[in-house]
Amino acid sequence: DARLGNIPFRFVDTHLEAFGRLLAGLEESGYVQMEKTYKGKLPLTLLTLTATGRAAFEQYRETLKRALNAGSR
C-alpha cells in the first residue's frame, strides 16, 4: 500500500499483533464473532457484532451521552 510509505515492517507487525490481540479479546468476551478466511490468496478476517456486543456498545453510547450532557451544564 503506497499510503504506508517507509514505515518499518517491525512497526507494522507490532501494531498488527496488538490489533489481533484486541480482536481476540473482543471475541473471547462475546462482543464479536470472528471468521478467518481468504479472498483469493490474501487472508481476510470478518467480524460480526454479536447481540452481547451490540448491547454493550449501546450502553457505552448512553453512558457517554450522559457524561457529555452533564459536562455542558
Side-chain angles (χ1 to χ4, degrees):
D1 189 328
R3 292 174 292 165
L4 292 179
N6 293 325
I7 298 172
F9 281 110
R10 181 163 171 73
F11 175 83
V12 173
D13 289 344
T14 301
H15 285 77
L16 288 177
E17 287 175 23
F19 188 62
R21 285 192 301 273
L22 171 67
L23 294 179
L26 291 172
E27 185 178 40
E28 288 172 14
S29 298
Y31 294 145
V32 298
Q33 181 180 358
M34 188 169 19
E35 177 187 351
K36 294 190 177 216
T37 186
Y38 288 88
K39 184 174 184 178
K41 294 183 178 182
L42 298 175
L44 176 66
T45 302
L46 302 171
L47 298 171
T48 303
L49 190 62
T50 64
T52 300
R54 186 172 305 282
F57 182 69
E58 289 300 325
Q59 182 179 5
Y60 167 77
R61 284 184 53 202
E62 290 304 317
T63 301
L64 189 57
K65 282 182 193 176
R66 284 194 302 276
L68 291 172
N69 288 335
S72 65
R73 293 179 190 171

